[in-house]
Amino acid sequence: MRLVLQRVKEAQVKVAGTIIGQIGPGLLVFVAVARDDQKSQADYLIKKITELRIFEDTQGKMNVSAMEAAAQFLVVSQFTLYGNCDKGRRPSFDQAADPAKGEELYNYFVAQLRASGAKVETGQFRAMMDLSLINNGPVTLIVDSK
């Protein structure tokens, strides 16, 4: 699995012009599932992103975890994170999971993140989505499960 994390002041996702997910301060999390991923990768990533110290303490240093900061999460599926642009002019998505497996692990990821006690909003799997956000920092990180 591959995640792109963006620390945000706020973020929202719309489908067909309707807001379906919206958060205040926290993390916008783009999630991509690879062909060979298992639930263990999702479990690893949830622990990683909830404990990653990327929020500022009183001295302005990134020293506070998402859970300590009571950060909210907006989780959006994005298989294009596995796009390979090495050859030709069209990305290859051979490494991405098929839609059924991708949706299963995406839903598992969301459920386990909610079980951690975090406030979690989501996009809609396989939908055309419009996202807006105010990136805080900016802080943008890539986290892989492998």
Side-chain angles (χ1 to χ4, degrees), residues 5-10 25-27 54-56 60 62 133-141:
L5 309 175
Q6 292 190 303
R7 191 176 73 185
V8 299
K9 291 183 178 181
E10 61 185 53
L27 291 174
I54 58 174
F55 291 87
E56 294 179 354
M62 289 198 304
L133 65 122
I134 299 175
N135 197 315
N136 183 331
V139 174
T140 303
L141 300 166

Side-chain angles (χ1 to χ4, degrees), residues 20-61:
I20 64 165
Q22 185 172 4
I23 63 168
L27 291 174
L28 172 57
V29 182
F30 294 104
V31 178
V33 178
R35 289 183 304 180
D36 58 347
D37 283 339
Q38 303 295 322
K39 289 180 179 177
S40 59
Q41 276 97 8
D43 294 334
Y44 166 81
L45 289 170
I46 290 163
K47 183 172 175 47
K48 176 63 93 175
I49 69 171
T50 57
E51 296 178 2
L52 198 60
R53 297 186 313 172
I54 58 174
F55 291 87
E56 294 179 354
D57 63 16
T58 56
Q59 298 170 339
K61 294 186 180 199

Side-chain angles (χ1 to χ4, degrees), residues 87-98:
K87 291 191 213 175
R89 296 180 297 169
R90 181 180 301 152
S92 167
F93 299 103
D94 290 347
Q95 296 303 309
D98 66 74

